[in-house]
Amino acid sequence: MDALDWDHNAYYQNTLLRLLPPHPRHVLDVGCGTGAFAARLARRAERVDAIDRSPEMIAAARRIAPPNLTCTVADVLDVDLPRGEYDAIVSVTALHHMPLERVLPILAEALRPGGVLAAVALPRADLPREAPVELTAALAHRLFGVTFATLRRFGDDPWYARSPEDADMPVVLDPESTTRQVRRQVREILPDARVRRLVFWRYLLTWRKPL
């Protein structure tokens, strides 16, 4: 593994944490992977449900789960989520594996009124329109990589280092939709939702369920 490579998913966890409502009672993490983000959520919320289709990922998540974190092998498209239950539903690089026209109504119904949906996912490159942000990402990736590698060398913080277990997570090298296409599709389903491109090969979807 390249010493200057770093985990973009871990980097954008902080973005999602800032979007949580104050003192959330119950949070759902969709596509939790090895559970690192779900464990962070459990320090903010009274209860966290984390689901993933992979038994291997859930096994890893359960090894680090605190008592208020429940990890379940499940496909969000098939599981019966409690209606109007969650103060927040979050997801890190999972939505691009699913048809938005199916998953977004499911998540919207599971949110309580006023609840927050916040997800980071991968878009397909939109060239030449997004050439400036792609160039910025390529340059900043190496610069941040040098910085984080230096901080890891001289300190105890992991500074977005990749976990060996990340190698078992599914990867989509060519997602189906660009950020523009996702934005159009999302607004047909959740008219008040926002979708914006992030620098490091991700987009951010946010929506607050009307009261």
Side-chain angles (χ1 to χ4, degrees), residues 53-135:
R53 292 182 295 189
S54 167
E56 292 78 14
M57 295 294 101
I58 290 298
R62 286 173 176 163
R63 287 195 288 270
I64 64 170
N68 64 331
L69 170 57
T70 301
C71 304
T72 305
V73 178
D75 187 332
V76 71
L77 297 176
D78 298 325
V79 70
D80 290 327
L81 296 177
R83 184 174 182 179
E85 171 64 19
Y86 294 104
D87 300 290
I89 298 176
V90 297
S91 180
V92 180
T93 57
L95 287 192
H96 55 276
H97 294 285
M98 312 172 197
L100 293 177
E101 69 276 10
R102 289 187 59 196
V103 70
L104 291 183
I106 291 171
L107 300 182
E109 187 172 89
L111 276 175
R112 66 164 177 80
V116 173
L117 169 63
V120 170
L122 275 66
R124 182 163 57 85
D126 190 6
L127 298 174
R129 178 183 292 269
E130 289 185 345
V133 72
E134 292 286 343
L135 178 60

Side-chain angles (χ1 to χ4, degrees), residues 13 29 32-41 43 61 64:
Q13 287 177 11
D29 183 3
C32 66
T34 57
F37 185 45
R40 295 185 68 184
L41 290 168
R43 296 196 288 269
I64 64 170

